[in-house]
Amino acid sequence: MARPIKVRPRLKWTGLGLWNVFFIGEFLLAAEGYLHLDLAYNCILAAFVLIPIRNKPLSWLRTLICMCGAFAMVYSESWWPSIESIQANAHNLAVFETGYLIESVLGFVNWEMVGIGAVLVIVYLALKDYVRISTITLLWLFALVCAPVWKPLVDAHIANAQMAQCPPTTATTEQNTEENKVSKNGLLAQTEEPTNMNLDRWLRAFYDKERERKVQFPDKLGKDDTPFDILLVNICSLSNADLKAVDLAEHAVFNQFNIIFTNFNSATSYSGPAALRLLTSLCGQPSHSELYEGRNPECEILNRLDDLGYTQRTFMDHSGTYDSFIQSLRNIAGFKPELQQPMPYPKRYESFDEEPIGDAKAVFADWVKQVKENKDVRNATFFNLIALHDGNRRTGQKKLAPFKPRAHEMLDDIQGFIKEIEESGRKVMLVIVPEHGAAEEGDKVQVAKLRDIPSISITNVPVMVKFIGIKDQQQIKINEPVSYLALADLIGRTLETNFFSTEDGAIPLTELTANLPQTEAVSENGNAKVVSYQGKDYVKLEKGDWREYAK
């Protein structure tokens, strides 16, 4: 009797299964700007998932490989810090207090997205027996792959429809000539399409232009020049966006300043490079790598003031040892003042690395005390205050201190400092210049508190100037895009005009601030660049391509 022939069952296509939820989630996140889809890897992953496998152990192995590949793909598509960035900052992460480190990690979890993912799973389970979801998912993926073909046609059709409804008015076409590459206000023209190549070329032109820019300081002061002190108060973690987020943009202290820069770009989202840029502000804005190439004495504002007879001083509410902060200032910006060690002020906070942070009020009071003891000395003072840095805790408490009360205290302390100076009778040019923001509110690119990418919301900081010893003048606001060069130029003008020589100021504030050098909004850290171009922000990570910053 012949043996029956065993017919092996045909391999059956089972579709994407629960992977539909993953791919649909990817599409939705990309549409909202949270991810930048890598279509090639998505297609490879989908194809690998679709391969029918009869053997259960192999099927489980395939699932494990796909999960690892999916995680790696999503990480590369996201805006999360790169592996290189994490490795570069590993020595700093190692000193973080445990509670702060845990909270920072949990900050990456977007619970709203987790909830939406759970809803997608429930919807998939409810519809999978009635709708060919895999077919819809694959057609969607195919449409995205073919987007370079159909999207220009759709965009052209929409543009034509809009032109038919609103015919364009007659306008002159700006030619990309040598004459209009740099406008009268010193800004580069932005006439070309924001392609990857054009943005790279524009950024190179920006740095070429900035290398040629310098502030003219007086070579010497006249015998009849009225002495005054210059105070540069560098505050960590305070941006205009932060003030708005915690409802402190209308604090009374802002009304006391003579000049407010409403569109000042700090050019970085980290403390070290921010302080270096301030202390070397007599020259145009260098790239991040150029900033660390070594000293350039003609750019060093404190040392140039030293040449004019100013005594350099420094006051900080911390030790300056974290991330070799003080040593970096000495090596790269020629920083001379000695810092008292250990930090001599009453402790108000404990930092994220468990270092004591002094009371800012006591720091300010110490300056008033010291200058009273040296009445005939002109002082050029650099303050650096880190009380607003994320992760700080009040003394003796384990819970992280909220940002708003700390920011309120800082603004109150500045207000009290102004009063102390006024009572001392000294003439002072007080400059408040934050290093960067705290990122109190996150966006689609970065979660709250993360500053790996120097977004404009983080680097747009409230810079203010008050001339103490001059009769109150009407406050003026400078809305043009500026950076450190404008601040250094303003200090130079104050010296040149002998501004403190009369009780009303030697010249009107409008004249003192007229035509200050403007600077395009370009910000950079070691691993990321951000530029504002044609009204939009673009970001470039490591050696990747430029992408529009999703707010």
Side-chain angles (χ1 to χ4, degrees), residues 228-235 253 256-261 364 367-368 379-383 385 410-422 426-433 462-470 487 490-491 494 499-500:
F228 68 97
D229 299 316
I230 300 173
L231 276 61
L232 303 177
V233 183
N234 213 199
I235 301 174
V253 72
Q256 298 190 27
F257 285 86
N258 302 115
I259 303 168
I260 294 183
F261 294 89
F364 291 142
W367 181 88
V368 174
N379 299 281
T381 305
F382 175 73
F383 287 85
L385 307 173
M410 179 62 73
L411 298 176
D412 287 346
D413 290 343
I414 293 172
Q415 195 168 15
F417 186 36
I418 292 173
K419 184 177 180 181
E420 282 191 82
I421 298 174
E422 289 174 337
R426 293 190 72 92
K427 297 182 183 296
V428 174
M429 181 180 186
L430 174 64
V431 181
I432 305 296
V433 50
V463 172
M464 303 169 287
V465 179
K466 181 171 178 61
F467 298 104
I468 302 174
I470 298 292
L487 201 54
L490 179 62
I491 293 172
T494 305
F499 186 73
F500 281 88

Short mmCIF file of all heavy atoms in Angstrom, two decimals, residues 228-235 253 256-261 364 367-368 379-383 385 410-422 426-433 462-470 487 490-491 494 499-500:
data_model
loop_
_atom_site.label_atom_id
_atom_site.label_comp_id
_atom_site.label_asym_id
_atom_site.label_seq_id
_atom_site.Cartn_x
_atom_site.Cartn_y
_atom_site.Cartn_z
N PHE A 228 33.58 105.03 36.50
CA PHE A 228 32.39 104.23 36.78
C PHE A 228 32.78 102.75 36.71
O PHE A 228 33.77 102.38 36.09
CB PHE A 228 31.25 104.55 35.79
CG PHE A 228 31.51 104.12 34.37
CD1 PHE A 228 31.02 102.92 33.88
CD2 PHE A 228 32.24 104.94 33.50
CE1 PHE A 228 31.26 102.53 32.57
CE2 PHE A 228 32.47 104.56 32.19
CZ PHE A 228 31.99 103.35 31.72
N ASP A 229 32.01 101.94 37.38
CA ASP A 229 32.25 100.49 37.40
C ASP A 229 31.43 99.81 36.31
O ASP A 229 30.33 100.28 35.96
CB ASP A 229 31.87 99.90 38.76
CG ASP A 229 32.69 100.48 39.89
OD1 ASP A 229 33.91 100.62 39.71
OD2 ASP A 229 32.10 100.81 40.94
N ILE A 230 31.95 98.71 35.81
CA ILE A 230 31.24 97.89 34.81
C ILE A 230 31.01 96.51 35.42
O ILE A 230 31.95 95.83 35.80
CB ILE A 230 32.05 97.78 33.51
CG1 ILE A 230 32.27 99.17 32.91
CG2 ILE A 230 31.35 96.86 32.52
CD1 ILE A 230 33.21 99.19 31.72
N LEU A 231 29.74 96.12 35.51
CA LEU A 231 29.37 94.83 36.10
C LEU A 231 28.70 93.96 35.05
O LEU A 231 27.67 94.35 34.47
CB LEU A 231 28.41 95.03 37.28
CG LEU A 231 29.01 95.34 38.66
CD1 LEU A 231 29.79 96.65 38.63
CD2 LEU A 231 27.91 95.40 39.71
N LEU A 232 29.28 92.81 34.79
CA LEU A 232 28.71 91.82 33.87
C LEU A 232 28.15 90.68 34.71
O LEU A 232 28.92 89.88 35.28
CB LEU A 232 29.77 91.31 32.90
CG LEU A 232 30.49 92.36 32.05
CD1 LEU A 232 31.57 91.69 31.19
CD2 LEU A 232 29.50 93.12 31.17
N VAL A 233 26.83 90.60 34.82
CA VAL A 233 26.19 89.58 35.65
C VAL A 233 25.69 88.46 34.76
O VAL A 233 24.65 88.58 34.10
CB VAL A 233 25.03 90.19 36.47
CG1 VAL A 233 24.43 89.13 37.39
CG2 VAL A 233 25.53 91.38 37.29
N ASN A 234 26.44 87.38 34.73
CA ASN A 234 26.16 86.21 33.88
C ASN A 234 25.32 85.21 34.68
O ASN A 234 25.81 84.59 35.63
CB ASN A 234 27.50 85.58 33.48
CG ASN A 234 27.48 84.96 32.10
OD1 ASN A 234 28.32 84.14 31.78
ND2 ASN A 234 26.54 85.33 31.26
N ILE A 235 24.06 85.05 34.31
CA ILE A 235 23.13 84.21 35.07
C ILE A 235 22.82 82.94 34.27
O ILE A 235 22.40 83.01 33.12
CB ILE A 235 21.82 84.95 35.38
CG1 ILE A 235 22.12 86.22 36.18
CG2 ILE A 235 20.85 84.06 36.14
CD1 ILE A 235 20.91 87.09 36.42
N VAL A 253 11.43 94.40 38.41
CA VAL A 253 12.82 94.75 38.18
C VAL A 253 13.07 95.19 36.74
O VAL A 253 13.95 96.03 36.47
CB VAL A 253 13.76 93.57 38.56
CG1 VAL A 253 13.65 92.45 37.54
CG2 VAL A 253 15.20 94.05 38.68
N GLN A 256 13.21 98.89 35.85
CA GLN A 256 14.28 99.73 36.38
C GLN A 256 15.47 99.86 35.42
O GLN A 256 16.36 100.67 35.67
CB GLN A 256 14.77 99.16 37.72
CG GLN A 256 13.69 99.15 38.79
CD GLN A 256 14.25 98.80 40.15
OE1 GLN A 256 15.42 99.04 40.44
NE2 GLN A 256 13.41 98.24 41.01
N PHE A 257 15.47 99.09 34.34
CA PHE A 257 16.61 99.13 33.43
C PHE A 257 16.40 100.16 32.33
O PHE A 257 15.29 100.39 31.87
CB PHE A 257 16.85 97.74 32.84
CG PHE A 257 17.50 96.80 33.83
CD1 PHE A 257 16.72 96.06 34.72
CD2 PHE A 257 18.88 96.68 33.90
CE1 PHE A 257 17.31 95.22 35.65
CE2 PHE A 257 19.48 95.84 34.82
CZ PHE A 257 18.69 95.11 35.70
N ASN A 258 17.50 100.77 31.93
CA ASN A 258 17.46 101.81 30.90
C ASN A 258 17.36 101.21 29.49
O ASN A 258 16.71 101.78 28.61
CB ASN A 258 18.72 102.68 30.96
CG ASN A 258 18.89 103.33 32.31
OD1 ASN A 258 19.83 103.04 33.03
ND2 ASN A 258 17.96 104.20 32.70
N ILE A 259 18.03 100.09 29.28
CA ILE A 259 18.06 99.47 27.96
C ILE A 259 17.72 97.99 28.10
O ILE A 259 18.27 97.30 28.97
CB ILE A 259 19.46 99.60 27.30
CG1 ILE A 259 19.87 101.08 27.20
CG2 ILE A 259 19.48 98.95 25.93
CD1 ILE A 259 21.34 101.27 26.84
N ILE A 260 16.82 97.51 27.26
CA ILE A 260 16.48 96.09 27.24
C ILE A 260 16.62 95.57 25.81
O ILE A 260 16.03 96.11 24.88
CB ILE A 260 15.06 95.82 27.76
CG1 ILE A 260 14.97 96.17 29.26
CG2 ILE A 260 14.66 94.37 27.55
CD1 ILE A 260 13.62 95.88 29.88
N PHE A 261 17.44 94.54 25.66
CA PHE A 261 17.57 93.87 24.37
C PHE A 261 16.54 92.73 24.33
O PHE A 261 16.66 91.75 25.07
CB PHE A 261 18.98 93.29 24.19
CG PHE A 261 20.07 94.33 24.10
CD1 PHE A 261 20.70 94.79 25.24
CD2 PHE A 261 20.45 94.84 22.86
CE1 PHE A 261 21.72 95.74 25.16
CE2 PHE A 261 21.46 95.79 22.77
CZ PHE A 261 22.09 96.25 23.93
N PHE A 364 26.10 89.66 46.03
CA PHE A 364 25.99 91.07 45.64
C PHE A 364 26.47 91.99 46.77
O PHE A 364 27.16 92.99 46.53
CB PHE A 364 24.54 91.40 45.28
CG PHE A 364 24.06 90.76 44.02
CD1 PHE A 364 22.76 90.28 43.89
CD2 PHE A 364 24.91 90.62 42.92
CE1 PHE A 364 22.31 89.70 42.73
CE2 PHE A 364 24.47 90.02 41.74
CZ PHE A 364 23.17 89.57 41.65
N TRP A 367 30.21 92.37 46.91
CA TRP A 367 30.77 93.32 45.94
C TRP A 367 30.65 94.75 46.47
O TRP A 367 31.62 95.53 46.42
CB TRP A 367 30.04 93.21 44.60
CG TRP A 367 30.60 94.15 43.57
CD1 TRP A 367 31.63 93.90 42.72
CD2 TRP A 367 30.17 95.50 43.30
NE1 TRP A 367 31.89 95.01 41.94
CE2 TRP A 367 31.01 96.01 42.28
CE3 TRP A 367 29.19 96.32 43.83
CZ2 TRP A 367 30.86 97.29 41.77
CZ3 TRP A 367 29.04 97.61 43.32
CH2 TRP A 367 29.88 98.08 42.31
N VAL A 368 29.49 95.11 47.00
CA VAL A 368 29.29 96.46 47.53
C VAL A 368 30.29 96.74 48.65
O VAL A 368 30.90 97.83 48.71
CB VAL A 368 27.84 96.63 48.05
CG1 VAL A 368 27.67 97.98 48.73
CG2 VAL A 368 26.85 96.49 46.90
N ASN A 379 36.24 99.35 38.69
CA ASN A 379 36.13 97.90 38.71
C ASN A 379 35.43 97.38 37.45
O ASN A 379 34.41 97.93 37.02
CB ASN A 379 35.33 97.44 39.93
CG ASN A 379 35.98 97.85 41.23
OD1 ASN A 379 36.93 97.21 41.67
ND2 ASN A 379 35.49 98.93 41.85
N ALA A 380 35.99 96.34 36.88
CA ALA A 380 35.33 95.58 35.82
C ALA A 380 35.09 94.19 36.41
O ALA A 380 36.02 93.41 36.62
CB ALA A 380 36.20 95.48 34.58
N THR A 381 33.83 93.91 36.73
CA THR A 381 33.50 92.72 37.52
C THR A 381 32.68 91.73 36.71
O THR A 381 31.72 92.11 36.03
CB THR A 381 32.72 93.11 38.78
OG1 THR A 381 33.47 94.09 39.50
CG2 THR A 381 32.48 91.90 39.66
N PHE A 382 33.06 90.45 36.83
CA PHE A 382 32.33 89.36 36.21
C PHE A 382 31.65 88.54 37.30
O PHE A 382 32.31 87.98 38.17
CB PHE A 382 33.29 88.48 35.41
CG PHE A 382 32.66 87.24 34.82
CD1 PHE A 382 31.79 87.31 33.74
CD2 PHE A 382 32.94 85.98 35.36
CE1 PHE A 382 31.22 86.17 33.20
CE2 PHE A 382 32.38 84.84 34.83
CZ PHE A 382 31.51 84.93 33.75
N PHE A 383 30.32 88.53 37.29
CA PHE A 383 29.54 87.67 38.18
C PHE A 383 29.11 86.42 37.40
O PHE A 383 28.75 86.52 36.22
CB PHE A 383 28.27 88.38 38.67
CG PHE A 383 28.50 89.47 39.67
CD1 PHE A 383 28.83 90.76 39.27
CD2 PHE A 383 28.37 89.22 41.03
CE1 PHE A 383 29.01 91.77 40.18
CE2 PHE A 383 28.56 90.24 41.96
CZ PHE A 383 28.89 91.51 41.54
N LEU A 385 26.39 83.26 38.23
CA LEU A 385 25.42 82.74 39.20
C LEU A 385 24.68 81.54 38.62
O LEU A 385 24.13 81.62 37.52
CB LEU A 385 24.43 83.84 39.59
CG LEU A 385 25.04 85.17 40.06
CD1 LEU A 385 23.96 86.22 40.24
CD2 LEU A 385 25.83 84.98 41.34
N MET A 410 15.80 85.37 42.39
CA MET A 410 16.91 85.97 41.67
C MET A 410 16.57 87.39 41.21
O MET A 410 17.36 88.33 41.36
CB MET A 410 17.29 85.12 40.47
CG MET A 410 18.43 85.67 39.62
SD MET A 410 19.99 85.80 40.52
CE MET A 410 20.45 84.06 40.61
N LEU A 411 15.38 87.56 40.65
CA LEU A 411 14.97 88.89 40.19
C LEU A 411 14.82 89.85 41.37
O LEU A 411 15.18 91.03 41.26
CB LEU A 411 13.66 88.78 39.41
CG LEU A 411 13.72 87.94 38.12
CD1 LEU A 411 12.33 87.83 37.49
CD2 LEU A 411 14.71 88.51 37.13
N ASP A 412 14.31 89.33 42.49
CA ASP A 412 14.22 90.17 43.70
C ASP A 412 15.61 90.58 44.17
O ASP A 412 15.83 91.73 44.59
CB ASP A 412 13.50 89.41 44.82
CG ASP A 412 12.00 89.27 44.58
OD1 ASP A 412 11.48 89.98 43.70
OD2 ASP A 412 11.37 88.46 45.27
N ASP A 413 16.55 89.63 44.12
CA ASP A 413 17.92 89.94 44.56
C ASP A 413 18.58 90.98 43.66
O ASP A 413 19.32 91.84 44.15
CB ASP A 413 18.76 88.66 44.56
CG ASP A 413 18.35 87.69 45.67
OD1 ASP A 413 17.66 88.13 46.60
OD2 ASP A 413 18.72 86.50 45.59
N ILE A 414 18.32 90.91 42.37
CA ILE A 414 18.86 91.93 41.45
C ILE A 414 18.26 93.30 41.78
O ILE A 414 18.97 94.32 41.80
CB ILE A 414 18.56 91.54 39.99
CG1 ILE A 414 19.36 90.28 39.62
CG2 ILE A 414 18.91 92.69 39.05
CD1 ILE A 414 18.98 89.71 38.26
N GLN A 415 16.98 93.30 42.08
CA GLN A 415 16.32 94.56 42.44
C GLN A 415 16.94 95.14 43.72
O GLN A 415 17.20 96.36 43.81
CB GLN A 415 14.82 94.30 42.64
CG GLN A 415 13.97 95.56 42.66
CD GLN A 415 12.49 95.22 42.58
OE1 GLN A 415 12.08 94.07 42.78
NE2 GLN A 415 11.68 96.21 42.28
N GLY A 416 17.19 94.26 44.69
CA GLY A 416 17.82 94.72 45.92
C GLY A 416 19.25 95.19 45.69
O GLY A 416 19.71 96.16 46.33
N PHE A 417 19.96 94.54 44.77
CA PHE A 417 21.33 94.92 44.44
C PHE A 417 21.37 96.32 43.84
O PHE A 417 22.24 97.14 44.18
CB PHE A 417 21.90 93.89 43.47
CG PHE A 417 23.36 94.07 43.14
CD1 PHE A 417 24.26 94.51 44.10
CD2 PHE A 417 23.84 93.77 41.88
CE1 PHE A 417 25.62 94.66 43.80
CE2 PHE A 417 25.18 93.90 41.57
CZ PHE A 417 26.07 94.35 42.52
N ILE A 418 20.43 96.61 42.97
CA ILE A 418 20.36 97.95 42.37
C ILE A 418 20.18 99.01 43.46
O ILE A 418 20.85 100.06 43.46
CB ILE A 418 19.20 98.02 41.35
CG1 ILE A 418 19.51 97.14 40.14
CG2 ILE A 418 18.94 99.46 40.92
CD1 ILE A 418 18.36 97.00 39.16
N LYS A 419 19.33 98.71 44.42
CA LYS A 419 19.09 99.66 45.50
C LYS A 419 20.35 99.87 46.33
O LYS A 419 20.68 101.01 46.71
CB LYS A 419 17.95 99.14 46.38
CG LYS A 419 17.55 100.11 47.48
CD LYS A 419 16.37 99.58 48.28
CE LYS A 419 15.97 100.57 49.38
NZ LYS A 419 14.83 100.05 50.19
N GLU A 420 21.08 98.77 46.62
CA GLU A 420 22.33 98.89 47.39
C GLU A 420 23.35 99.74 46.66
O GLU A 420 24.04 100.56 47.28
CB GLU A 420 22.91 97.50 47.65
CG GLU A 420 22.25 96.71 48.75
CD GLU A 420 23.05 95.48 49.11
OE1 GLU A 420 24.03 95.60 49.88
OE2 GLU A 420 22.72 94.39 48.61
N ILE A 421 23.47 99.55 45.34
CA ILE A 421 24.44 100.34 44.57
C ILE A 421 24.06 101.82 44.59
O ILE A 421 24.90 102.70 44.76
CB ILE A 421 24.54 99.83 43.13
CG1 ILE A 421 25.04 98.37 43.11
CG2 ILE A 421 25.50 100.71 42.32
CD1 ILE A 421 25.03 97.75 41.72
N GLU A 422 22.76 102.08 44.42
CA GLU A 422 22.30 103.47 44.42
C GLU A 422 22.60 104.13 45.76
O GLU A 422 23.03 105.30 45.81
CB GLU A 422 20.80 103.50 44.13
CG GLU A 422 20.46 103.15 42.68
CD GLU A 422 18.97 103.04 42.44
OE1 GLU A 422 18.21 102.80 43.42
OE2 GLU A 422 18.55 103.17 41.27
N ARG A 426 27.91 105.02 44.09
CA ARG A 426 28.83 104.72 42.98
C ARG A 426 28.11 104.80 41.65
O ARG A 426 26.91 104.54 41.54
CB ARG A 426 29.44 103.33 43.15
CG ARG A 426 30.36 103.20 44.35
CD ARG A 426 31.11 101.89 44.33
NE ARG A 426 32.14 101.86 43.29
CZ ARG A 426 33.42 102.21 43.50
NH1 ARG A 426 33.80 102.65 44.69
NH2 ARG A 426 34.30 102.13 42.53
N LYS A 427 28.88 105.17 40.62
CA LYS A 427 28.36 105.17 39.26
C LYS A 427 28.69 103.80 38.65
O LYS A 427 29.85 103.38 38.65
CB LYS A 427 28.98 106.29 38.45
CG LYS A 427 28.65 107.69 38.98
CD LYS A 427 29.27 108.76 38.11
CE LYS A 427 28.99 110.16 38.68
NZ LYS A 427 27.55 110.49 38.70
N VAL A 428 27.66 103.15 38.14
CA VAL A 428 27.82 101.76 37.70
C VAL A 428 27.05 101.50 36.41
O VAL A 428 25.90 101.94 36.26
CB VAL A 428 27.33 100.77 38.79
CG1 VAL A 428 27.35 99.33 38.27
CG2 VAL A 428 28.17 100.89 40.04
N MET A 429 27.70 100.83 35.48
CA MET A 429 27.02 100.29 34.31
C MET A 429 26.73 98.82 34.61
O MET A 429 27.63 97.98 34.57
CB MET A 429 27.88 100.43 33.05
CG MET A 429 27.20 99.91 31.80
SD MET A 429 28.25 100.10 30.32
CE MET A 429 27.11 99.56 29.03
N LEU A 430 25.49 98.52 34.97
CA LEU A 430 25.09 97.17 35.35
C LEU A 430 24.52 96.45 34.13
O LEU A 430 23.55 96.92 33.52
CB LEU A 430 24.05 97.23 36.47
CG LEU A 430 23.42 95.91 36.88
CD1 LEU A 430 24.46 94.95 37.46
CD2 LEU A 430 22.29 96.14 37.88
N VAL A 431 25.12 95.33 33.79
CA VAL A 431 24.70 94.56 32.61
C VAL A 431 24.27 93.17 33.07
O VAL A 431 25.06 92.42 33.64
CB VAL A 431 25.83 94.43 31.58
CG1 VAL A 431 25.35 93.64 30.37
CG2 VAL A 431 26.35 95.79 31.18
N ILE A 432 23.01 92.83 32.85
CA ILE A 432 22.50 91.49 33.14
C ILE A 432 22.49 90.73 31.82
O ILE A 432 21.81 91.12 30.87
CB ILE A 432 21.07 91.54 33.72
CG1 ILE A 432 21.03 92.45 34.96
CG2 ILE A 432 20.58 90.14 34.05
CD1 ILE A 432 21.84 91.95 36.12
N VAL A 433 23.24 89.63 31.76
CA VAL A 433 23.33 88.87 30.51
C VAL A 433 23.30 87.37 30.83
O VAL A 433 24.33 86.79 31.17
CB VAL A 433 24.59 89.27 29.69
CG1 VAL A 433 25.84 89.24 30.54
CG2 VAL A 433 24.75 88.39 28.45
N PRO A 462 17.01 87.51 28.10
CA PRO A 462 16.73 88.91 28.44
C PRO A 462 18.00 89.64 28.90
O PRO A 462 18.45 89.47 30.04
CB PRO A 462 15.72 88.80 29.58
CG PRO A 462 16.06 87.50 30.24
CD PRO A 462 16.56 86.59 29.15
N VAL A 463 18.58 90.44 28.04
CA VAL A 463 19.78 91.20 28.36
C VAL A 463 19.37 92.64 28.67
O VAL A 463 18.62 93.25 27.90
CB VAL A 463 20.80 91.14 27.21
CG1 VAL A 463 21.96 92.09 27.46
CG2 VAL A 463 21.31 89.71 27.04
N MET A 464 19.87 93.16 29.79
CA MET A 464 19.43 94.47 30.27
C MET A 464 20.61 95.29 30.76
O MET A 464 21.58 94.73 31.28
CB MET A 464 18.42 94.30 31.41
CG MET A 464 17.21 93.45 31.02
SD MET A 464 16.19 93.00 32.46
CE MET A 464 17.23 91.78 33.26
N VAL A 465 20.51 96.61 30.60
CA VAL A 465 21.58 97.52 31.01
C VAL A 465 20.96 98.65 31.83
O VAL A 465 19.94 99.24 31.43
CB VAL A 465 22.32 98.10 29.79
CG1 VAL A 465 23.40 99.07 30.25
CG2 VAL A 465 22.93 96.98 28.95
N LYS A 466 21.60 98.95 32.96
CA LYS A 466 21.16 100.09 33.77
C LYS A 466 22.37 100.95 34.11
O LYS A 466 23.41 100.44 34.55
CB LYS A 466 20.48 99.62 35.07
CG LYS A 466 19.98 100.81 35.92
CD LYS A 466 19.13 100.36 37.07
CE LYS A 466 18.68 101.54 37.94
NZ LYS A 466 17.87 102.53 37.18
N PHE A 467 22.21 102.26 33.92
CA PHE A 467 23.25 103.23 34.26
C PHE A 467 22.91 103.81 35.63
O PHE A 467 22.11 104.74 35.73
CB PHE A 467 23.36 104.32 33.20
CG PHE A 467 23.73 103.80 31.84
CD1 PHE A 467 22.78 103.69 30.84
CD2 PHE A 467 25.03 103.40 31.57
CE1 PHE A 467 23.11 103.21 29.58
CE2 PHE A 467 25.39 102.91 30.32
CZ PHE A 467 24.43 102.82 29.32
N ILE A 468 23.51 103.25 36.66
CA ILE A 468 23.24 103.70 38.03
C ILE A 468 24.12 104.92 38.31
O ILE A 468 25.34 104.88 38.13
CB ILE A 468 23.53 102.58 39.04
CG1 ILE A 468 22.67 101.35 38.70
CG2 ILE A 468 23.26 103.04 40.46
CD1 ILE A 468 22.96 100.14 39.54
N GLY A 469 23.48 105.99 38.76
CA GLY A 469 24.19 107.26 38.95
C GLY A 469 23.80 108.27 37.90
O GLY A 469 24.22 109.42 37.94
N ILE A 470 22.99 107.86 36.93
CA ILE A 470 22.43 108.74 35.91
C ILE A 470 20.94 108.90 36.21
O ILE A 470 20.27 107.94 36.59
CB ILE A 470 22.62 108.15 34.50
CG1 ILE A 470 24.10 107.99 34.18
CG2 ILE A 470 21.91 108.99 33.45
CD1 ILE A 470 24.85 109.29 34.02
N LEU A 487 26.67 94.23 22.70
CA LEU A 487 26.88 94.55 24.10
C LEU A 487 28.27 95.16 24.32
O LEU A 487 28.42 96.16 25.03
CB LEU A 487 26.72 93.29 24.94
CG LEU A 487 26.41 93.45 26.42
CD1 LEU A 487 25.19 94.32 26.64
CD2 LEU A 487 26.21 92.07 27.05
N LEU A 490 28.33 98.64 22.97
CA LEU A 490 27.66 99.58 23.87
C LEU A 490 28.58 99.99 25.02
O LEU A 490 28.63 101.17 25.39
CB LEU A 490 26.38 98.95 24.42
CG LEU A 490 25.57 99.80 25.39
CD1 LEU A 490 25.09 101.08 24.71
CD2 LEU A 490 24.38 99.01 25.93
N ILE A 491 29.34 99.05 25.56
CA ILE A 491 30.30 99.37 26.61
C ILE A 491 31.38 100.32 26.07
O ILE A 491 31.76 101.30 26.73
CB ILE A 491 30.92 98.09 27.18
CG1 ILE A 491 29.85 97.27 27.91
CG2 ILE A 491 32.08 98.41 28.13
CD1 ILE A 491 30.32 95.90 28.36
N THR A 494 29.99 103.78 25.76
CA THR A 494 29.84 104.41 27.07
C THR A 494 31.17 105.00 27.53
O THR A 494 31.22 106.09 28.12
CB THR A 494 29.32 103.38 28.09
OG1 THR A 494 28.11 102.80 27.60
CG2 THR A 494 29.05 104.03 29.43
N PHE A 499 30.04 108.87 29.16
CA PHE A 499 28.60 108.96 29.35
C PHE A 499 28.23 109.41 30.76
O PHE A 499 27.23 110.12 30.96
CB PHE A 499 27.95 107.59 29.05
CG PHE A 499 26.46 107.60 29.08
CD1 PHE A 499 25.73 108.19 28.06
CD2 PHE A 499 25.77 107.03 30.15
CE1 PHE A 499 24.34 108.21 28.09
CE2 PHE A 499 24.38 107.03 30.18
CZ PHE A 499 23.66 107.62 29.15
N PHE A 500 29.01 109.02 31.76
CA PHE A 500 28.68 109.36 33.14
C PHE A 500 29.13 110.76 33.54
O PHE A 500 29.03 111.13 34.71
CB PHE A 500 29.31 108.33 34.09
CG PHE A 500 28.55 107.03 34.18
CD1 PHE A 500 28.80 106.00 33.29
CD2 PHE A 500 27.59 106.84 35.15
CE1 PHE A 500 28.11 104.80 33.38
CE2 PHE A 500 26.89 105.64 35.25
CZ PHE A 500 27.15 104.62 34.35
#
